[in-house]
Each structure stands twice: as structure tokens, then as C-alpha cells.
Amino acid sequence: MKKWNVGTRRSRLALIQTNWVVDRLKEMAPEADFALHEIVTKGDRILDVTLSKVGGKGLFVKEIEQSLYDKETDFAVHSLKDMPAELPEGLVIGAIPKRVDPRDVLLSKDGKTLDALPEGAIVGTSSLRRAAQLMAYRPDIQIESLRGNIDTRMRKLAEGNFDGIILAAAGLERASFDGTISQYLPVEISLPAVGQGALAIECRADDTETLELLRQLDHQPTRLAVTAERSFLHKLQGGCQVPIGAYATIGEGDLITMTGMVGSPDGKQMFKNTASGTDPVALGIQVAEALLAQGAGEVLAQVLRENEQ
Ligand SMILES: NCc1[nH]cc(CCC(=O)O)c1CC(=O)O
């Protein structure tokens, strides 16, 4: 009997996601056996430091990728938004399952919506993308850093440190926290991170047996959308430490429509562009180039300089 070794982070959300993938694969290949390998990543070890200050790129995936190279594991389940725009040599995304809700959500004291938060409200997030967009919409809001896994962040809200916090709907949904959401933020206010709400199952490019297994879980419309978003991210050379967002949807005839965003961390400058096309890579590049033509390159360069200090 074939046994697959599966890499995962140890967080509650990561384990839920990995078990979800393994359960789907067991339905498709009842004769197969799966063993989970929990891997502690650098990102998990430095939860008390703002991610943007430690060079966030790939912080949650590096050790897991090493275990793929070492053949200690055959595939690994990641949140797609934690993955750098470019995969290391020899590794591929073998499957992208159907995306769940890509939106950001507000969790607040007394269930208040963003518009109902008091003047000068304190909102917790360590994401430059979320902070920039919140301040663009409500310049009076004070952003404070908020790190940790979902449980930690929700506890800090309950302890009264914040008027509200921003999280991804996807994580809450998968971990069944959904009763606590105060508002789903429209993508017009908070454009999601590239790949938000999607999972990526990574494996070795030459491992045809694993690729064949994983292919059954691949959702083509999600792959098209996420490929456009990642092409946009790649063109802008962005990681999770820059205020970049993108969201693509698939319409009739596999027409992809994508909005891309670059903002300054204070939200005072916002560059957005929306375009449609059928080639996801070309569309990502096209939207990125439209933002660069508006002046987004200077904002990105400024953020990178600040991160280096
Ligand atoms: N930044 C960490 C992270 N990476 C993936 C998710 C869950 C959402 C997803 O799978 O897209 C989260 C939590 C969050 O942003 O609230």
C-alpha cells in the first residue's frame, strides 16, 4: 500500500487545512495511506516580532520545502497567501483546491461595522495591506500591531485591547469561528491578499505519482484566478511585507477579471487598476504595469527602504 508523507505547519489552522486535504484525497484514493509530519517554521518561532521587520517572504514555507527536497515528505499543504511569488527550483504547486471566501473580516466589540466604529477607534492588524486600506477608508482609525495565531488575536480583542481586529474570513471559516464576524469587508474597501482563501499543495516537480494524486483536487477556475494574482505579485516583486492586494474572478468563457492594488502604508496613496483577459500571466503583468505607470513603483521602493532600516 502506497504511503504518502504530508508536511504541515503545527498551528491549529494548518492542521485543520491539512486534514481537510487528506480527507478529500482518501475519498479519491481509498487504498492510500497518509502520515502527517508537523514542521515548526521560522514564522511560527518569531510570533512576537512584526513580520514585515523580519523579511516575511516565505517565512512559513522554507523548512517545509526543505523536507520536500529531503524526501522526508511527498507533499505539503500551505495557505496560498503565505507562499512567495516564485517557487524554488524543482518544486511545483500540484493542486489548488477550490477557494473559499477571500474577503477580510472585521471582528469588533459589540459587533460594530467599520462605519459604526467610534472616532479614533483602535484596530489591530500587522498587515500593511489591511492597515493601508483601512486608513484610506477611515483616516481617523488608529492601527496597532497584532500578531499571533487566530486564537491569540481573538483573545486580545476579548481582553479589550482593541475596538476591532481584521482577519481573513477563510481562516475563521475553516476553523469554524464564523459566529463572531462583525462585518465582511467588501473587496472595494479591503482588497484581499494575493491567493487569500486558497490552499496550495506543493510537491516535487518530478514526482509524477504524487502529481497524479493531487491533480484530482485541483480546481481550474481557482488556479486561473490565483495564477493571475501571483503573476501580478511577481511583476511587482512583492512579498507579504508590502501593501499589495489582488483579487481575480472567473466569468463566462474563462474570462479573468482582476483588480490589483498598491498602497502606501499610511493609506494616503492608493493605486488600483482592473482589467480582463484570458491569459492569467499576461493579465497579472498588465495590471502591475498599469499601477507602475500610475507611480506605484516609488511607493513600493519606499516601503522596501523602510523595511531595511
Ligand atoms: N497571515 C496569516 C494567514 N495566512 C493564511 C491565513 C488564513 C486565510 C487564508 O487561508 O487565506 C492567515 C490568517 C489571516 O490572515 O487572518
Side-chain angles (χ1 to χ4, degrees):
M1 184 164 73
K2 170 72 185 181
K3 182 172 134 190
W4 267 280
N5 291 304
V6 188
T8 177
R9 284 173 60 198
R10 186 174 284 172
S11 74
R12 187 156 95 84
L13 180 61
L15 287 169
I16 287 171
Q17 292 178 165
T18 303
N19 280 308
W20 181 86
V21 166
V22 166
D23 286 346
R24 297 291 81 69
L25 291 173
K26 278 181 181 163
E27 290 169 6
M28 294 162 178
E31 73 288 355
D33 196 16
F34 299 90
L36 258 54
H37 293 248
E38 295 178 15
I39 297 163
V40 179
T41 66
K42 191 174 177 196
D44 297 309
R45 287 196 296 269
I46 41 177
L47 286 176
D48 51 342
V49 192
T50 302
L51 267 189
S52 60
K53 297 285 175 212
V54 291
K57 250 190 194 177
L59 221 50
F60 292 111
V61 302
K62 219 170 159 224
E63 286 88 346
I64 294 179
E65 288 175 337
Q66 191 58 50
S67 88
L68 288 171
Y69 282 129
D70 296 343
K71 301 198 174 174
E72 186 182 72
T73 57
D74 302 306
F75 63 87
V77 181
H78 308 278
S79 289
L80 209 148
K81 81 166 184 178
D82 295 337
M83 306 205 62
E86 220 168 344
L87 292 194
E89 190 70 36
L91 299 179
V92 291
I93 298 180
I96 302 178
K98 188 170 190 237
R99 178 182 238 172
V100 299
D101 198 320
R103 287 174 293 179
D104 286 327
V105 294
L106 172 70
L107 279 66
S108 66
K109 275 186 194 161
D110 318 318
K112 285 194 175 68
T113 62
L114 194 52
D115 286 338
L117 287 180
E119 177 86 22
I122 296 170
V123 174
T125 178
S126 290
S127 149
L128 294 178
R129 174 187 62 81
R130 289 172 178 154
Q133 295 187 103
L134 277 181
M135 285 193 283
Y137 184 72
R138 278 277 309 260
D140 62 295
I141 279 179
Q142 308 289 312
I143 301 292
E144 289 204 5
S145 166
L146 172 64
R147 294 273 305 125
N149 58 33
I150 295 178
D151 305 82
T152 307
R153 296 189 209 189
M154 288 176 65
R155 194 189 70 234
K156 288 182 180 166
L157 173 67
E159 283 169 353
N161 304 355
F162 303 96
D163 295 293
I165 64 175
I166 310 289
L167 293 171
L172 295 175
E173 214 172 272
R174 292 199 191 101
S176 313
F177 277 122
D178 46 8
T180 53
I181 291 169
S182 308
Q183 186 187 6
Y184 287 84
L185 299 179
V187 297
E188 292 75 19
I189 294 176
S190 192
L191 198 66
V194 165
Q196 186 160 303
L199 300 180
I201 312 177
E202 190 179 24
C203 65
R204 289 181 295 278
D206 61 1
D207 183 354
T208 47
E209 198 180 7
T210 299
L211 282 166
E212 214 163 286
L213 172 82
L214 296 180
R215 205 179 45 208
Q216 308 174 78
L217 252 188
D218 199 56
H219 184 251
Q220 185 60 17
T222 300
R223 187 179 275 273
L224 272 180
V226 161
T227 302
E229 293 166 16
R230 285 172 59 76
S231 164
F232 170 78
L233 184 68
H234 186 241
K235 178 72 191 170
L236 295 177
Q237 301 282 316
C240 62
Q241 72 277 39
V242 282
I244 290 180
Y247 179 48
T249 53
I250 310 301
E252 283 293 303
D254 280 349
L255 185 71
I256 313 161
T257 299
M258 186 176 81
T259 300
M261 181 279 302
V262 168
S264 60
D266 62 8
K268 287 186 177 148
Q269 283 174 282
M270 261 308 150
F271 304 97
K272 278 193 191 184
N273 182 260
T274 302
S276 295
T278 49
D279 177 341
V281 173
L283 179 60
I285 293 170
Q286 182 191 332
V287 173
E289 280 174 345
L291 297 190
L292 292 171
Q294 291 174 32
E298 187 38 51
V299 168
L300 287 173
Q302 179 63 30
V303 173
L304 291 178
R305 278 197 295 276
E306 279 163 19
N307 284 345
E308 273 157 23
Q309 279 159 21

